[in-house]
Amino acid sequence: MHVLEAHELYRFFHIGDDETAALRGVSFHLSAGEIVALVGPSGSGKSTLLSCVTGLDEPDGGYVEVGGSRLTRRPETERTRIRAASFGILLQSGNLFGHLTVEQNLRLQMLLAGRSDEKRIAMLLESVDLLHRAWALPTELSGGEVARAGLAVALAANPPILVADEPTAEVDRDTETRLIAQFEARRQAGLATLIATHSKALAHMADRIITLKDGRIDGE
Ligand code: ADP
Ligand code: MG
């Protein structure tokens, strides 16, 4: 079953008279239990594609379906509801609310997805080695701890689809190992994971690799 489908996505950006075609007709699907790595040079459209498939951004052409429901060009409230129920999102930064502790960030994410589970909070913090930092604010964490807390938040509601944008770009070896273990656990549990990455280790564990080049799929 396809949990996510992108149909002929186009996205253009304009700065003055300059037009950048960030996505030029990108179609792909993601199935339950699958890890797909999205690779391609910097500027090839990876982050734009992840924003469009999660409904954080709207494509200028084409559409996205999540679990068979249309996400694209739906009212913001409906997109937000679908996003909260279907996606865990790990961006390159800004995954944590700065005025909430690590634990409060996790709890809020579960609340938004309607899946509160106190036992899961402790289990997740343990799995990313942050139990001892549960009450810390984001500003009190190291870079690796921020990355692991972001991962815990993205995984909080056990989302059917996890989308991660270069999650291992700036993390230490131990954090990368923990990320990979979480992605593997998702595959075992039949959950889907889409990762934009330059990491050979991550691309190696993927079931499929999609390569973007200048906003187009260059090979699958
Ligand atoms: P990647 O994640 O593969 O590095 P991006 O999706 O970030 O690529 O960017 C694709 C292209 O779109 C790049 O040329 C980038 O400069 C451009 N771009 C992305 N976001 C914006 C934006 N908000 N405004 C203008 N141009 C953008
Ligand atoms: Mg990017």
Side-chain angles (χ1 to χ4, degrees):
M1 186 194 123
H2 295 171
V3 290
L4 178 69
E5 290 188 16
H7 299 268
E8 285 287 306
L9 296 181
Y10 286 81
R11 184 73 174 104
F12 302 97
F13 293 110
H14 297 98
I15 298 173
D17 287 342
D18 288 335
E19 180 177 272
T20 302
L23 299 177
R24 315 179 194 213
V26 175
S27 301
F28 76 95
H29 61 81
L30 187 64
S31 300
E34 194 176 39
I35 297 176
V36 171
L38 183 62
V39 306
S42 183
S44 57
K46 302 181 297 296
S47 296
T48 304
L49 183 59
L50 296 186
S51 296
C52 285
V53 299
T54 51
L56 291 169
D57 190 14
E58 281 279 56
D60 296 306
Y63 63 95
V64 175
E65 284 180 331
V66 180
S69 301
R70 181 73 71 105
L71 175 69
T72 307
R73 282 177 282 283
R74 289 286 183 257
E76 180 66 42
T77 49
E78 199 177 326
R79 292 217 311 269
T80 304
R81 185 182 56 72
I82 294 173
R83 187 160 56 241
S86 304
F87 289 103
I89 303 176
L90 184 58
L91 299 174
Q92 289 182 273
S93 62
N95 296 297
L96 304 171
F97 287 105
H99 61 291
L100 298 179
T101 66
V102 172
E103 186 183 291
Q104 287 168 339
N105 267 284
L106 257 76
R107 190 166 288 131
L108 175 62
Q109 187 58 37
M110 288 179 169
L111 205 63
L112 291 173
R115 299 200 190 116
S116 293
D117 181 345
E118 285 300 314
K119 276 201 197 116
R120 186 169 169 79
I121 292 180
M123 188 273 284
L124 272 173
L125 288 175
E126 167 88 60
S127 74
V128 296
D129 192 23
L130 280 181
L131 258 186
H132 60 299
R133 306 295 277 141
W135 296 102
L137 289 167
T139 49
E140 297 162 348
L141 301 175
S142 72
E145 287 172 341
V146 168
R148 301 204 302 274
L151 175 67
V153 168
L155 294 169
N158 207 22
I161 310 166
L162 176 69
V163 169
D165 198 354
E166 302 200 24
T168 59
E170 284 169 55
V171 304
D172 54 38
R173 181 64 72 81
D174 175 56
T175 297
E176 182 173 56
T177 304
R178 285 176 187 278
L179 280 155
I180 287 176
Q182 291 288 346
F183 297 152
E184 187 56 54
R186 288 181 56 78
R187 172 154 57 195
Q188 300 291 331
L191 301 166
T193 305
L194 176 64
I195 319 163
T197 187
H198 289 286
S199 153
K200 289 214 164 56
L202 273 181
H204 188 69
M205 77 177 298
D207 298 296
R208 272 191 299 137
I209 296 177
I210 296 175
T211 306
L212 276 188
K213 194 179 169 200
D214 293 335
R216 290 194 182 94
I217 290 185
D218 194 38
E220 198 174 333

